[in-house]
Amino acid sequence: GEDVEQSLFLSVREGDSSVINCTYTDSSSTYLYWYKQEPGAGLQLLTYIFSNMDMKQDQRLTVLLNKKDKHLSLRIADTQTGDSAIYFCAETGAGNNRKLIWGLGTSLAVNP
Amino acid sequence: GAGVSQSPSNKVTEKGKDVELRCDPISGHTALYWYRQSLGQGLEFLIYFQGNSAPDKSGLPSDRFSAERTGGSVSTLTIQRTQQEDSAVYLCASSLEGTRAYNEQFFGPGTRLTVL
């Protein structure tokens, strides 16, 4: 069945790079997403990547996609304390780009 | 504010009672989704509306759960005869389909349901 897996916790020092990894099972996914959930706030789309791309960069964020291994990563450069949040990886469900299949989320803690 | 709103923000109920959760999507968004987020769990898809119809309700956990959407806008998720395992945060999201290939979903703040 469809499944998305992420490591649950990541701790980094302020100024370091953070890398959050995700694996998924549905090779037919057309888009993969990273959402951010800050304490007391709703989920927000952080970035997304189309499945025919292998990299997307947006300011401090770099998304890498290895479609062969079904592996997605989010790199945050120069991590700040304000980046502390839960990061969710999501993929589009098979044959339907409306339904998203979500990972459990990676809780990122940034230490000063 | 033109974001997705949900009410109530918190609901405490007794086991066996019925509850109704409301979602107001962003104006003009044709698609609406309900998810459930339990402690330590990811987002569990419940149901998806396109307009007033629900082409995918595969995630509803049991027949105690139902949802409707009227006027292509407001949606209500109803849980009958609540059980303790229904305790979770219920999230609603909406998206504007047809203009972009990718599906950016905009989330509401959620309703925290506690069943005693």
Side-chain angles (χ1 to χ4, degrees):
Chain A
E2 301 159 331
D3 196 16
V4 176
E5 294 188 355
Q6 302 178 238
S7 52
L8 295 182
F9 301 100
L10 178 65
S11 180
V12 300
R13 287 189 306 183
E14 191 173 15
D16 288 350
S17 291
S18 309
V19 179
I20 302 171
N21 295 301
C22 168
T23 57
Y24 60 97
T25 56
D26 185 0
S27 58
S28 68
S29 289
T30 51
Y31 286 92
L32 296 114
Y33 306 83
W34 285 104
Y35 276 78
K36 180 180 180 182
Q37 187 175 39
E38 295 182 86
L43 276 156
Q44 287 188 309
L45 179 66
L46 195 60
T47 187
Y48 68 94
I49 188 167
F50 187 47
S51 59
N52 71 351
M53 298 169 65
D54 51 21
M55 187 180 87
K56 180 179 180 181
Q57 189 147 5
D58 183 2
Q59 299 181 340
R60 292 189 298 121
L61 305 178
T62 303
V63 179
L64 295 178
L65 175 61
N66 182 329
K67 202 171 178 185
K68 174 177 167 290
D69 295 338
K70 301 194 189 84
H71 182 265
L72 182 72
S73 68
L74 173 69
R75 179 176 181 270
I76 306 172
D78 187 25
T79 313
Q80 303 297 306
T81 55
D83 294 324
S84 295
I86 301 175
Y87 292 81
F88 290 90
C89 170
E91 62 165 344
T92 50
N96 182 345
N97 74 349
R98 276 71 178 156
K99 176 180 170 180
L100 297 183
I101 309 300
W102 298 78
L104 295 184
T106 298
S107 179
L108 174 64
V110 182
N111 305 305
Chain B
V4 178
S5 60
Q6 293 185 246
S7 60
S9 54
N10 276 287
K11 177 72 177 177
V12 180
T13 190
E14 293 179 347
K15 178 180 170 182
K17 294 282 178 68
D18 298 351
V19 295
E20 281 191 356
L21 311 180
R22 177 187 167 106
C23 172
D24 280 272
I26 292 173
S27 177
H29 279 193
T30 55
L32 186 147
Y33 312 79
W34 282 100
Y35 295 92
R36 178 167 72 173
Q37 187 176 26
S38 304
L39 190 64
Q41 300 293 315
L43 271 74
E44 177 187 3
F45 168 81
L46 298 179
I47 188 169
Y48 152 65
F49 286 93
Q50 175 58 34
N52 290 336
S53 64
D56 190 346
K57 54 178 80 171
S58 61
L60 294 177
S62 74
D63 59 8
R64 296 187 294 106
F65 287 72
S66 62
E68 65 174 15
R69 190 179 185 196
T70 54
S73 180
V74 171
S75 177
T76 304
L77 176 70
T78 301
I79 310 173
Q80 296 177 309
R81 304 180 303 282
T82 51
Q83 304 294 310
Q84 287 181 332
E85 61 262 28
D86 299 334
S87 296
V89 176
Y90 289 81
L91 293 167
C92 175
S94 69
S95 69
L96 179 61
E97 296 190 351
T99 59
R100 294 191 183 96
Y102 70 95
N103 180 10
E104 179 174 4
Q105 297 184 13
F106 295 82
F107 282 81
T111 294
R112 182 176 296 278
L113 175 66
T114 304
V115 182
L116 303 177

